[in-house]
């Protein structure tokens, strides 16, 4: 099986055909929607309910809806043609405008609250026999989607010329409406596809909306989601592999859960817990798999840089080849960090939902919770919060790595900030029976820096010390010298071998170490800490001896750079004694 990093760095091959498929998506979608509309017309013309309803007694696709799909499909096919004349563009815009007009007239009829001959323009005699009320009228959610799609179709020529995202902005909410309706049919929830008792989107209509929306999204492929999916670098490969799993896994798990409940295999509470656990395991697997692929990509980048240096040392004529290698390596690195930022952000949404379901179950919303179930829910909550911490760590690393991390300068108490950070890690020290000693300034001073980032760096360094210390103590001390705050974090842990000191701040380095595999973690904590310290104008250094503990020194300037606006933070009074132990 091919190495994922090799696949990511070499776009030619298997995924080249998938990129070619994405380029054909708009034409395929437009053709499919047009043919579906024509087929429904034939069903009404020849009185074949199986074509219009798809199942006996089902909700039919209204003739006006089918007409709109024919018009919209034709407009999409014309809009994505490589060469456009004023005539063809006028035809494309006219077809889209007709769809918009039909949707607007439908809304007008709903607002007027009466029946009209407009709804019965097509196959009126047969439509009135179906029992739809008002007969022949497009459902509200379907009319809204058609209006959004028509606006998107009107903006496609503009977006292709200006490289804009207006068509995607209009098509995305309509696509979500269709997806919700389809899931409503899958899970048997009428409220997801019916706005009212007499206004519901038919299943063939929802599928046609979904196909049309995907086609419009891919009409402009150099911006937004299509640009990421068609990227030939690591981000594109990973997105094409992870996105289907992220979309299909929750649906598949939900279907399995409902099937089990319907069969009487377990109760609702257990089904929800099982769904939460399965979702956590699925997304943990996706995060770890993507981190492994990105680490291999990063190693490949390092190898390319080494080849560049060797080529420069051997001959001057190899300079051009080395520059090409460096550009490829930097592109791979940027793709990696962009993917980390996007993927970490997207994974937070389902994870937050999982934590919300756990809290609802723990509060007894769905019924009494036994002690055993409460313990299981506690494990779910702990796992979810641990995963959320890993995702936040990866997200911070990605933002700093690509220069998108913002600094919010504020003035705060040094002693209070250090005491605050120590209190956050106190439970970790308590669990391991370690002594956490804090030495504050004899006379408290104010520092101008980003308080959130300073606290994050302190917690990272203290957590690292506690994690690798089995007995003894972890010391947090500070001093001010020559306008610099010097914070020392020392532990009596396992220490670091001399040959590994230079790799401590490398991202993912710890993932290779036996100690880290035992304690857990992404291996990004120290790398993020150093990047944040340098972002604030300081640095982090380390001194250690294997088996005798480790000492980290964090230095930060006491004053913010000239010209920066400073926000003042009110902090409570620090303890009377500058030296105290949080845990013995």
């Amino acid at each position: 099986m091919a190495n994922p990093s090799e696949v990511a760095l070499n776009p030619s091959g298997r995924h080249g055909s998938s990129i070619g498929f994405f380029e054909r998506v708009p034409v395929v979608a437009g053709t499919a929607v047009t043919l579906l509309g024509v087929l429904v017309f034939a069903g009404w013309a020849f009185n074949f309910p199986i074509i219009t309803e798809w199942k006996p007694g089902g909700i039919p696709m209204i003739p006006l809806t089918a007409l709109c799909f024919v018009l919209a499909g034709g407009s999409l096919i014309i809009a994505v043609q490589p060469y456009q004349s004023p005539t063809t563009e006028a035809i494309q815009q006219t077809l889209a405008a007709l769809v918009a007009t039909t949707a607007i007239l439908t809304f007008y009829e709903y607002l007027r609250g009466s029946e009209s001959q407009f709804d019965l323009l097509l196959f009126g005699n047969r439509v009135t026999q179906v029992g739809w009320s008002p007969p022949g009228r497009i459902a509200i959610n379907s009319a809204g989607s058609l209006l959004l799609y028509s606006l998107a179709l009107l903006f496609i020529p503009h977006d292709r010329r200006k490289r804009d995202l207006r068509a995607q902005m209009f098509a995305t909410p309509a696509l979500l409406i269709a997806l919700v309706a389809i899931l409503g049919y899958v899970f048997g929830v009428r409220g997801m596809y019916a706005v009212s008792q007499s206004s519901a989107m038919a299943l063939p209509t929802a599928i046609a909306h979904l196909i049309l929306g995907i086609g419009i999204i891919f009409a402009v492929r150099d911006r937004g989601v299509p640009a990421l999916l068609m990227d030939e670098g690591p981000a594109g490969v990973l997105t094409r592999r992870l996105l289907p799993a992220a979309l299909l896994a929750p649906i598949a798990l939900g279907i399995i859960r409902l099937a089990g409940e319907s069969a009487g295999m377990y109760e609702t509470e257990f089904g929800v817990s099982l769904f939460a656990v399965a979702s956590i395991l699925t997304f943990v697997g996706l995060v770890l798999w993507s981190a492994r692929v990105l680490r291999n990509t990063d190693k490949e980048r390092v190898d390319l840089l080494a080849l560049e240096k060797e080529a420069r040392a051997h001959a001057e004529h190899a300079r051009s080849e080395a520059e090409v290698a460096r550009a490829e390596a930097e592109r791979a690195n940027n793709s990696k960090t962009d993917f980390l930022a996007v993927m970490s952000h997207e994974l937070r949404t389902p994870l937050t939902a999982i934590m919300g379901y756990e809290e609802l179950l723990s509060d007894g919303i769905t019924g009494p919770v036994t002690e055993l179930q409460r313990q299981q829910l506690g494990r779910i909550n702990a796992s979810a919060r641990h995963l959320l911490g890993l995702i936040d760590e990866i997200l911070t690393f990605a933002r700093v790595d690509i220069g998108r991390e913002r600094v919010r300068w504020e003035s705060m108490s040094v002693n209070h900030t250090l005491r605050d950070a120590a209190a956050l890690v106190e439970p970790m020290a308590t669990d391991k029976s370690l002594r956490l000693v804090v030495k504050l300034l004899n006379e408290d001073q104010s520092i101008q820096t980003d308080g959130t980032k300073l606290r994050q760096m302190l917690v990272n360094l203290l957590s690292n010390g506690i994690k690798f210390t089995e007995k003894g103590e972890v010391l947090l001390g500070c001093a001010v010298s020559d306008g610099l705050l010097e914070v020392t974090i020392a532990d009596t842990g396992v220490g670091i071998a001399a040959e590994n000191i230079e790799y401590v701040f490398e991202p993912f380095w710890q993932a290779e170490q036996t100690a880290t595999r035992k304690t857990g973690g992404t291996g990004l904590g120290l790398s993020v800490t150093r990047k944040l310290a340098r972002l604030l104008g300081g640095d982090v250094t380390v001194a250690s001896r294997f088996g005798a503990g480790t000492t980290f020194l964090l230095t930060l300037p006491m004053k913010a750079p000239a010209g920066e606006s400073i926000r003042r933070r009110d902090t409570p009074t620090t303890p009377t004694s500058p030296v105290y132990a949080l845990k013995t």
Side-chain angles (χ1 to χ4, degrees):
M1 186 168 131
N3 189 311
S5 65
E6 295 174 357
V7 175
L9 289 172
N10 182 16
S12 62
R14 289 180 298 175
H15 66 274
S17 58
S18 64
I19 293 177
F21 169 76
F22 288 135
E23 294 176 347
R24 295 188 294 271
V25 163
V27 175
V28 173
T31 304
V33 169
T34 302
L35 292 177
L36 182 58
V38 172
L39 187 63
V40 170
F41 264 117
W44 285 105
F46 297 102
N47 196 21
F48 289 149
I50 190 64
I51 298 178
T52 59
E53 300 174 1
W54 286 21
K55 67 176 182 178
I59 301 173
M61 181 190 292
I62 298 302
L64 279 177
T65 305
L67 174 62
C68 288
F69 283 135
V70 173
L71 297 174
S75 178
L76 178 59
I77 294 173
I78 297 173
V80 297
Q81 296 305 311
Y83 303 105
Q84 294 283 345
S85 66
T87 302
T88 56
E89 184 170 332
I91 294 174
Q92 185 267 331
Q93 296 281 286
T94 301
L95 294 177
L98 289 174
V99 177
T101 302
T102 304
I104 293 172
L105 288 175
T106 298
F107 280 117
Y108 173 73
E109 293 298 328
Y110 275 111
L111 292 174
R112 201 173 67 168
S114 62
E115 299 182 11
S116 71
Q117 295 302 312
F118 168 72
D119 298 329
L120 303 176
L121 286 177
L122 301 174
F123 307 105
N125 293 333
R126 289 179 178 169
V127 167
T128 54
Q129 298 174 5
V130 175
W132 186 263
S133 179
R137 184 169 298 175
I138 302 174
I140 295 177
N141 48 357
S142 183
S145 297
L146 288 173
L147 180 59
L148 291 170
Y149 283 144
S150 63
L151 294 173
L153 289 167
L154 289 171
F155 277 112
I156 287 177
H158 168 273
D159 290 354
R160 288 168 68 88
R161 288 192 293 264
K162 303 293 186 180
R163 299 188 64 188
D164 207 344
L165 288 170
R166 298 185 187 182
Q168 294 186 28
M169 291 172 58
F170 283 112
T172 299
L175 188 63
L176 292 178
I177 293 173
L179 182 60
V180 169
I182 293 175
L183 292 178
Y185 279 102
V186 172
F187 294 111
V189 182
R190 180 180 174 81
M192 296 177 71
Y193 59 84
V195 178
S196 64
Q197 192 66 26
S198 62
S199 180
M201 183 185 295
L203 178 58
T205 302
I207 294 175
H209 276 304
L210 183 68
I211 296 173
L212 180 60
I214 293 173
I216 294 176
I217 290 290
F218 280 90
V220 180
R221 295 182 291 274
D222 56 355
R223 300 296 301 276
V225 175
L228 185 59
L229 282 169
M230 297 180 64
D231 184 79
E232 295 184 348
V237 174
L238 292 175
T239 303
R240 288 191 291 274
R241 293 186 178 185
L242 291 179
L243 191 59
L247 290 173
L248 298 178
I251 298 175
L253 293 175
I255 294 174
I256 294 174
R257 172 203 158 190
L258 290 178
E261 291 180 10
S262 301
M265 298 174 61
Y266 43 75
E267 298 179 352
T268 302
E269 293 83 357
F270 183 82
V272 173
S273 301
L274 185 63
F275 175 79
V277 172
S279 298
I280 290 175
L281 294 177
T282 300
F283 285 105
V284 166
L286 290 175
V287 170
L288 296 179
W289 182 83
S290 60
R292 174 176 173 271
V293 173
L294 290 170
R295 185 186 63 188
N296 292 337
T297 304
D298 194 60
K299 289 181 178 179
E300 187 72 16
R301 177 181 63 87
V302 172
D303 292 340
L304 289 173
L305 291 175
L307 288 175
E308 175 200 351
K309 292 179 180 179
E310 182 181 354
R312 183 183 300 172
H314 281 82
E316 188 64 22
H317 69 271
R319 181 183 300 273
S320 59
E321 296 181 12
E323 291 297 329
V324 171
R326 175 162 41 186
E328 287 295 324
E330 290 301 323
R331 188 172 73 86
N333 186 51
N334 289 338
S335 298
K336 175 201 70 174
T337 50
D338 281 339
F339 172 79
L340 281 174
V342 172
M343 206 60 201
S344 299
H345 177 74
E346 292 301 324
L347 288 174
R348 286 176 60 91
T349 301
L351 188 59
T352 303
I354 291 171
M355 295 172 66
Y357 278 123
E358 185 277 329
E359 291 176 2
L360 290 175
L361 289 173
S362 297
D363 293 339
I365 298 298
T366 59
V369 180
T370 66
E371 186 60 29
L372 178 59
Q373 290 173 339
R374 194 174 300 279
Q375 293 176 3
Q376 294 172 341
L377 291 171
R379 294 190 185 98
I380 292 174
N381 183 271
S383 299
R385 293 190 180 278
H386 177 65
L387 178 58
L388 186 62
L390 296 180
I391 292 174
D392 285 338
E393 194 172 68
I394 294 174
L395 188 58
T396 301
F397 170 78
R399 286 199 305 263
V400 175
D401 199 42
I402 59 181
R404 295 180 184 170
E405 187 72 13
R406 295 178 56 192
V407 177
R408 296 172 177 83
W409 301 99
E410 53 187 337
S411 178
M412 70 203 71
S413 161
V414 171
N415 283 357
H416 176 73
T417 303
L418 268 64
R419 182 169 172 261
D420 222 1
L424 291 174
V425 300
E426 179 187 3
M428 294 177 59
T430 302
D431 291 341
K432 299 186 70 174
S433 300
L434 297 177
R435 189 167 181 262
L436 181 58
V437 180
V438 182
K439 295 183 178 181
L440 304 175
L441 297 175
N442 292 326
E443 293 184 6
D444 195 9
Q445 297 189 39
S446 294
I447 183 173
Q448 296 176 352
T449 187
D450 189 318
T452 302
K453 293 178 176 55
L454 174 56
R455 188 176 293 105
Q456 181 178 355
M457 291 186 290
L458 293 173
V459 170
N460 280 351
L461 294 173
L462 287 169
S463 301
N464 189 76
I466 294 172
K467 184 188 299 183
F468 294 102
T469 302
E470 296 301 325
K471 61 181 180 178
E473 68 178 21
V474 176
L475 170 67
L476 171 63
C478 66
V480 176
S481 175
D482 297 329
L484 293 175
L485 173 64
E486 299 178 350
V487 182
T488 302
I489 296 92
D491 62 66
T492 58
V494 296
I496 304 170
E499 63 270 20
N500 291 329
I501 286 289
E502 60 180 306
Y503 303 113
V504 166
F505 296 104
E506 289 291 326
F508 301 111
W509 173 77
Q510 287 186 335
E512 297 294 328
Q513 309 306 309
T514 303
T516 303
R517 285 199 296 269
K518 177 182 176 183
T519 58
T522 62
L524 289 175
L526 294 179
S527 176
V528 168
T529 300
R530 169 167 276 188
K531 289 179 181 292
L532 291 177
R534 291 179 175 177
L535 182 65
L536 298 176
D539 203 354
V540 179
T541 57
V542 60
S544 182
R545 191 173 64 182
F546 189 75
T550 304
T551 299
F552 287 93
L553 177 62
L554 168 64
T555 59
L556 290 174
M558 294 291 291
K559 300 293 183 182
E564 296 288 348
S565 59
I566 309 299
R567 184 173 67 89
R568 187 169 300 279
R569 175 187 291 183
D570 295 327
T571 54
T573 307
T574 54
T576 303
S577 172
V579 181
Y580 63 100
L582 287 175
K583 178 64 182 177
T584 304

